[in-house]
Amino acid sequence: MLNRRFSIVVFSTLLLATVILGLPNLFSIPRVAAVNRTIILVGYVNAWNFTSTPNPTITVSQGDSVTLQLSSGDAVLHRWFVDVDKNGPTPDCPGADICSNAFSTSSVLTFTVNFSPGTYIYYCSVHPTTMLGQFVVNPSAVGGTTLPTNTPALVAPYLALISAFAILVAVAAFITRARRKDQKK
């Protein structure tokens, strides 16, 4: 009888350990990972990157850390900005828009994309009619946007813990009954 109880306790302990250790692997929880992006833009009065790909579309994801390496290819003064509030080619700096310093040689601008997904326009505030392009912000995989709720995936870990607790209670009740029976003999 003692050997049987020992086997049940060992089995229950192993089952409980398996449930507890397996919980993190049962349900995939998306990880948040921002990307560090470095973008090089060379300013010319005619366009950003005029000699290669004029006014390229810049595509990032919400939450990305963006470093812009800006330089003037024509030694003329430039100032890069993305029109976050979508009110046109006059920058709101400081304010809603993301803006570089004015530069005639080079400048570095680092920022986190913390505004809503969508298509924005980036400009040179000095030459806004020729130096402009699209700045596309995609939604992040997690965070910043509303994700559909997967209720079963949210509830399942709790059900597993409740089940493990119920197994422990059942094993404890079985052992207690077995001891009482042994004491009555």
Side-chain angles (χ1 to χ4, degrees):
M1 188 65 149
L2 183 61
N3 200 14
R4 182 176 173 198
R5 274 189 250 151
F6 179 75
S7 297
I8 291 171
V9 170
V10 169
F11 174 74
S12 300
T13 304
L14 289 174
L15 182 62
L16 181 62
T18 302
V19 169
I20 291 172
L21 293 175
L23 276 177
N25 299 323
L26 287 176
F27 308 98
S28 63
I29 299 172
R31 305 276 184 228
V32 177
V35 174
N36 293 322
R37 300 278 318 260
T38 299
I39 299 164
I40 298 171
L41 290 176
V42 180
Y44 295 90
V45 173
N46 296 331
W48 292 104
N49 294 358
F50 182 64
T51 59
S52 58
T53 307
N55 296 322
T57 296
I58 298 172
T59 303
V60 297
S61 292
Q62 195 176 31
D64 284 357
S65 177
V66 176
T67 299
L68 285 174
Q69 294 179 350
L70 304 164
S71 63
S72 177
D74 53 12
V76 174
L77 185 69
H78 300 287
R79 183 179 191 194
W80 184 94
F81 79 97
V82 61
D83 185 20
V84 176
D85 57 6
K86 297 184 177 185
N87 68 346
T90 303
D92 299 316
C93 304
D97 297 338
I98 307 293
C99 306
S100 74
N101 293 322
F103 61 94
S104 59
T105 55
S106 66
S107 182
V108 174
L109 173 65
T110 300
F111 62 96
T112 299
V113 181
N114 58 5
F115 41 98
S116 299
T119 300
Y120 301 85
I121 304 294
Y122 69 87
Y123 296 92
C124 170
S125 65
V126 183
H127 311 99
T129 59
T130 56
M131 298 177 69
L132 68 154
Q134 290 189 336
F135 190 90
V136 179
V137 178
N138 291 322
S140 64
V142 176
T145 59
T146 304
L147 296 174
T149 303
N150 184 349
T151 305
L154 293 174
V155 173
Y158 298 105
L159 292 176
L161 285 174
I162 291 168
S163 299
F165 183 72
I167 291 168
L168 277 178
V169 169
V171 168
F174 177 79
I175 292 172
T176 303
R177 278 194 209 130
R179 285 184 183 165
R180 286 185 186 154
K181 282 184 183 180
D182 285 347
Q183 287 176 355
K184 287 182 182 179
K185 290 183 182 180

